[in-house]
Amino acid sequence: MTLPDSSAPTLVVRRTIPFPRERVFDAWLDPKRLAQFMRPASGRQAIVEVDPKAGGKFRIAMLHPKSPPDGTVHTGEYLLIERPSRLVFTWISPSTEQRATTVTVDFIERPGGTEIVLTHVALPPKQIEGHRAGWTEILGLLERLTL
Amino acid sequence: MPMILDHRLDHIYAAIADPTRRAIIDLLVRGETTVGELAGRFPMSFNGVSKHVKVLERAGLLTRRVSGREHWVALRPAPLADAAHWLDHYRAFWGTRLAALEQMLIDEDAAKPRPRARRTVRRK
């Protein structure tokens, strides 16, 4: 499944880290490791359940002092698991108003490590369309507005 | 968190996807104008431009006021600003998570017991 430019709000975050792809990829599907790096900065811990297969679901409860007793809950479903190169899942949380958004994580082999490229689109997977982006241009326009 | 993922989003995305409509938004950034004035800038009929303006209006991206015979339209950036906030939020969120992932792997390696240096034992 390719993820084309979208006309929905889309962000891309990249980071290159000095570890092999397999290890970086596996951290995303291992409940203990996922709980570790999903822990909120201000929080005590994250509690994670993972069913690591296509169609399987995950649940991440982030506990911190200000959240309700069960924590802030993030859920989703794995759409594609292609070890060690690509992971696609839906992401649903209070910050997405409990609507499905789509996250694609690509793991690219680089000298000495792995480049992680994370794309988050504010649409459920079936609604992501294949035409050229409008959002980058539009947000550029917004900046002009606020100047 | 602003309401950007509601049912109007389909309209907004469809509105933004068209290059003529993006060009109209670009023009409106500079300020309010009339539909007639907009139509003069595109190689299409007045009705063609008017249809594009209606799509943008239905998406909540512009407002219209009628003054005599003229229809003045202005950009309504709130839905776009909401989207920009959403992007900022998740850019920060994922940026922090990826940094935490790296640190976690570093810490895992640091916690591993170091292999002991081999000692050669000479036997007679």
Side-chain angles (χ1 to χ4, degrees):
Chain A
M1 181 210 284
T2 51
L3 198 67
D5 284 337
S6 168
S7 59
T10 301
L11 65 99
V12 182
V13 174
R14 296 167 197 266
R15 192 181 185 98
T16 299
I17 66 176
F19 296 96
R21 280 203 297 178
E22 289 75 12
R23 195 164 161 206
V24 183
F25 184 94
D26 290 345
W28 284 81
L29 298 179
D30 173 357
K32 280 191 195 146
R33 291 198 171 88
L34 191 58
Q36 183 66 24
F37 73 88
M38 281 292 171
R39 197 171 54 179
S42 60
R44 290 195 303 277
Q45 58 173 315
I47 296 172
V48 172
E49 294 157 34
V50 166
D51 182 16
K53 61 174 198 267
K57 304 221 160 64
F58 65 84
R59 182 178 191 278
I60 302 167
M62 295 188 189
L63 306 181
H64 43 109
K66 286 182 191 169
S67 68
D70 291 336
T72 306
V73 176
H74 309 253
T75 59
E77 180 182 323
Y78 297 107
L79 302 171
L80 184 79
I81 299 180
E82 253 174 27
R83 183 177 189 269
S85 55
R86 173 171 275 194
L87 188 60
V88 184
F89 51 87
T90 56
W91 180 265
I92 302 167
S93 85
S95 300
T96 70
E97 281 125 35
Q98 303 304 336
R99 291 175 148 249
T101 60
T102 307
V103 177
T104 299
V105 191
D106 285 304
F107 303 85
I108 302 166
E109 213 169 345
R110 296 287 183 214
T114 300
E115 183 184 5
I116 307 169
V117 181
L118 187 147
T119 304
H120 193 168
V121 183
L123 274 182
K126 285 178 188 161
Q127 286 180 40
I128 294 175
E129 287 158 39
H131 41 65
R132 280 267 144 202
W135 278 101
T136 322
E137 296 169 49
I138 292 298
L139 293 178
L141 297 180
L142 253 194
E143 274 169 37
R144 283 163 51 202
L145 262 184
T146 54
L147 282 172
Chain B
M1 188 53 51
M3 294 290 294
I4 70 131
L5 297 185
D6 64 20
H7 65 279
R8 289 175 307 147
L9 277 185
D10 290 342
H11 293 309
I12 292 177
Y13 301 153
I16 300 287
D18 180 276
T20 302
R21 291 196 283 270
R22 289 202 296 276
I24 291 172
I25 291 177
D26 188 32
L27 290 169
L28 290 176
V29 166
R30 300 164 208 189
E32 204 184 20
T33 188
T34 64
V35 179
E37 214 282 317
L38 280 177
R41 291 177 177 263
F42 294 95
M44 64 176 69
S45 68
F46 178 90
N47 280 345
V49 172
S50 182
K51 279 182 186 165
H52 283 302
V53 168
K54 281 182 186 152
V55 171
L56 288 170
E57 193 178 7
R58 198 176 44 148
L61 290 169
L62 64 78
T63 55
R64 182 198 299 257
R65 65 177 177 92
V66 180
S67 175
R69 283 195 193 165
E70 286 179 315
H71 289 227
W72 287 84
V73 288
L75 189 62
R76 194 175 159 267
L80 305 177
D82 288 348
H85 286 133
W86 188 89
L87 292 171
D88 285 344
H89 169 79
Y90 269 108
R91 204 173 284 121
F93 176 85
W94 292 116
T96 305
R97 299 282 98 72
L98 295 189
L101 167 55
E102 180 175 2
Q103 191 58 49
M104 179 190 74
L105 295 176
I106 291 170
D107 292 345
E108 274 182 11
D109 280 358
K112 280 181 194 160
R114 289 203 195 145
R116 283 220 216 143
R118 280 206 189 157
R119 290 183 214 167
T120 359
V121 179
R122 279 208 190 135
R123 290 178 188 240
K124 282 192 182 165

